[in-house]
Amino acid sequence: MTDTIWLPDLTQADGPKYRAIEVAIRQAVRGGTLKCGDKLPPVRDLAWQAKVTPGTVARAYKNLVDAGFLDAAVGRGTFVPEQKVVQFEEVTDMGATLLSPRLPDLGQADLIRDGFHRYADTAASELLLRYPVRQNHRDAHLAFYDASKDFPIGKFSPDSVVITHGGQHSIVMIFQTVLKGSSPVVMVDELTYAGFRRAAELCRAPTVSVEWDEEGPRLDKFERLVIDHGVQIYATCSDVMNPTAMTTSLKRRQEIAKMCRRYGVHIIDDDSYRNGPFIGPSYRQYVPELAWYTTSPSKSISAALRIGFVVPPEGHLNAFIRSVTFNSFGVPTAITSVYAYVQNHPEMPAILKSTRAHMADRMRMALNVLGGYKVRWQENVPFIWLELPDGWRSGEFCRSSEAQGIFLKSAEEFGPRDGRRVQAVRIALNGGIAIERFETALRWLRDLLDHPPERITV
């Protein structure tokens, strides 16, 4: 066993730093930079050199040890094992990131590029030198309204739309507008988009989680939480629940809307993951005085534009405009102008249709490979929810998949820390990698599912 001065390159890291360190170690072993018997740097030394926390390095080391890729012994350190537990030459560095949905480039990148060129060539000097104002976003308001006017989200006009720096910014701004008092409480679904909880943390608001049945939030649990905790906002995704791909039934939406009206609870209905027809009316149509509709083009056009749209409840428009304006002094007109150019471009409908078809092909492939297991999915939704068979725990399954270069999200990332444990993973469709690589990744996952770890129970 020999010491090494190996140092990972994290400058192009995509995702959490601990995962980037894991990938760097696997690549170094396969490429021969790290050889069997080489000792990895001590946790604190590598953390200092790589400018990360010791906990980040320790987590990366532990995951690779658990996967058999590294070995560790008290007093000896962490090293590449002499007796290889993993056949490195059989592990393909696929780079299959299935953490978040990724769109294929079917022409929208060129439209975005053209939009920026056009803005640069035609924008008045005033727009290039001063803070943006709401009036400068008129084209984007109209483009969004034209694309959304038939949505079942209640009555609204171009002037009642507020533009934000993306969907997550929308959520934070709504919380800042609505939440009152020293310890306001936000209700979220038991398994839900982690951004709701992160936004509540930023606003120093504790969250409580409501259980679901097959129709949506359980009414008895919902009302009990509202009464016991004084819930001010319920944040959800009624059409497409991220990560489970479930939908709140129309009957349950009406019941939840009535309950929120009775107790004065605001509703955020996030519509960012649906890329097709509406399944049912948004909460804003049922309770227009309390419900907020939010969406963004991140899953349909591009995640890089960082633009979001909010239709506030009746009577809350001006307060929300103030929150957004005072928070960031407005979204740059370069972004809103490019969005309007792309959304209104005559080629855009064909691009959107092709994008949906491309992602539908990925979904069919995923279902063909993994369909023997319990999965939830929806048409025009870029992920599937996979419930793991007996023998697998979600964290262990993710670590094993990461050892093959396949990155997923565990159920733990969507639930409360003190909630019940769900053994499942979310697999996002990546339209940006070759179909062969995507299929190979799915087959690796199928092989893991077919061979759960052996356990002895006493």
Side-chain angles (χ1 to χ4, degrees):
M1 183 171 62
T2 58
D3 291 339
T4 177
I5 59 173
W6 171 83
L7 180 67
D9 179 9
L10 304 183
T11 57
Q12 303 297 320
D14 180 17
K17 295 294 185 184
Y18 77 89
R19 286 197 176 110
I21 293 173
E22 292 177 41
V23 171
I25 292 173
R26 286 195 296 269
Q27 291 174 340
V29 171
R30 296 183 199 120
T33 304
L34 291 175
K35 300 178 176 60
C36 292
D38 281 352
K39 181 179 177 181
L40 275 294
V43 167
R44 291 191 178 277
D45 290 355
L46 183 56
W48 184 81
Q49 296 176 61
K51 294 180 174 57
V52 297
T53 66
T56 297
V57 177
R59 183 174 182 181
Y61 281 7
K62 181 181 184 301
N63 288 348
L64 291 175
V65 169
D66 290 346
F69 210 90
L70 295 178
D71 203 353
V74 177
R76 297 174 63 201
T78 305
F79 54 91
V80 182
E82 299 280 5
Q83 300 294 324
K84 291 187 289 185
V85 178
V86 178
Q87 297 296 318
F88 297 127
E89 66 274 10
E90 294 178 5
V91 182
T92 305
D93 182 22
M94 295 172 298
T97 300
L98 309 180
L99 293 167
S100 297
R102 294 191 179 182
L103 295 170
D105 178 15
L106 298 178
Q108 66 270 45
D110 283 339
L111 291 186
I112 293 171
R113 189 176 293 110
D114 291 343
F116 276 113
H117 282 304
R118 185 173 181 273
Y119 178 80
D121 290 340
T122 62
S125 297
E126 178 183 358
L127 295 180
L128 299 174
L129 296 174
R130 297 184 180 181
Y131 287 107
V133 295
R134 183 170 166 81
Q135 290 85 343
N136 297 145
H137 302 327
R138 183 66 179 172
D139 288 347
H141 286 124
L142 291 171
F144 174 79
Y145 178 76
D146 289 342
S148 313
K149 60 185 177 183
D150 296 326
F151 287 4
I153 61 176
K155 183 180 178 181
F156 77 107
S157 69
D159 292 330
S160 61
V161 176
V162 181
I163 298 176
T164 67
H165 296 276
Q168 183 65 17
H169 184 239
S170 298
I171 295 166
V172 175
M173 290 298 93
I174 295 171
F175 283 175
Q176 290 191 4
T177 304
V178 174
L179 296 176
K180 309 295 181 186
S182 59
S183 185
V185 176
V186 173
M187 186 194 303
V188 296
D189 299 300
E190 186 176 29
L191 291 172
T192 192
Y193 167 54
F196 287 144
R197 291 192 177 91
R198 300 296 85 80
E201 288 175 5
L202 286 174
C203 296
R204 300 185 178 183
T207 57
V208 293
S209 302
V210 60
E211 295 177 24
W212 270 46
D213 57 27
E214 287 301 310
E215 289 197 64
R218 288 182 50 182
L219 290 174
D220 57 336
K221 300 291 185 180
F222 191 100
E223 186 170 27
R224 190 74 264 159
L225 289 170
V226 170
I227 294 172
D228 290 349
H229 297 277
V231 170
Q232 296 184 21
I233 298 178
Y234 169 49
T236 189
C237 313
S238 62
D239 254 21
V240 180
M241 176 53 62
N242 175 25
T244 62
M246 295 179 69
T247 295
T248 306
S249 72
L250 303 190
K251 180 175 181 293
R252 187 63 52 84
R253 295 185 206 196
Q254 293 172 336
E255 293 168 334
I256 293 292
K258 289 179 182 178
M259 194 172 294
C260 286
R261 178 177 283 127
R262 183 187 314 153
Y263 293 102
V265 176
H266 285 249
I267 307 173
I268 298 177
D269 200 350
D270 185 2
D271 189 34
S272 295
Y273 273 88
R274 179 187 55 81
N275 192 14
F278 258 93
I279 296 172
S282 166
Y283 279 109
R284 191 180 182 278
Q285 181 150 318
Y286 289 127
V287 54
E289 73 275 17
L290 290 170
W292 304 71
Y293 175 81
T294 72
T295 189
S296 83
S298 295
K299 308 300 185 296
S300 57
I301 298 176
S302 168
L305 285 177
R306 305 315 307 139
I307 188 170
F309 300 91
V310 177
V311 183
E314 296 172 356
H316 293 270
L317 175 63
N318 290 334
F320 188 63
I321 290 174
R322 286 195 297 272
S323 294
V324 174
T325 302
F326 295 155
N327 176 267
S328 66
F329 295 104
V331 177
T333 53
I335 298 298
T336 59
S337 296
V338 170
Y339 166 79
Y341 174 80
V342 171
Q343 182 65 58
N344 291 329
H345 199 282
E347 295 180 13
M348 201 61 220
I351 291 175
L352 291 174
K353 183 178 179 180
S354 297
T355 300
R356 285 193 288 267
H358 182 99
M359 299 301 275
D361 288 341
R362 302 280 161 128
M363 178 64 78
R364 280 191 290 271
M365 176 173 288
L367 295 176
N368 285 337
V369 175
L370 304 174
Y373 290 91
K374 189 173 182 180
V375 297
R376 286 186 181 272
W377 64 283
Q378 282 194 43
E379 189 177 1
N380 297 316
V381 174
F383 61 81
I384 65 174
W385 181 246
L386 170 66
E387 296 186 21
L388 299 174
D390 290 342
W392 278 116
R393 292 190 173 94
S394 56
E396 185 178 11
F397 185 83
C398 287
R399 287 192 294 272
S400 297
S401 69
E402 287 169 11
Q404 317 299 331
I406 307 167
F407 299 93
L408 315 170
K409 282 196 173 181
S410 163
E412 296 172 357
E413 299 192 41
F414 300 97
R417 293 179 182 179
D418 57 351
R420 65 185 178 93
R421 291 189 176 274
V422 177
Q423 308 308 331
V425 295
R426 192 194 73 175
I427 303 174
L429 305 184
N430 187 338
I433 61 175
I435 190 69
E436 296 81 10
R437 178 177 294 183
F438 182 68
E439 183 176 17
T440 301
L442 292 172
R443 295 198 179 282
W444 268 112
L445 296 178
R446 175 58 187 259
D447 187 63
L448 286 176
L449 292 167
D450 290 342
H451 299 91
E454 296 182 2
R455 301 188 186 280
I456 299 176
T457 57
V458 178

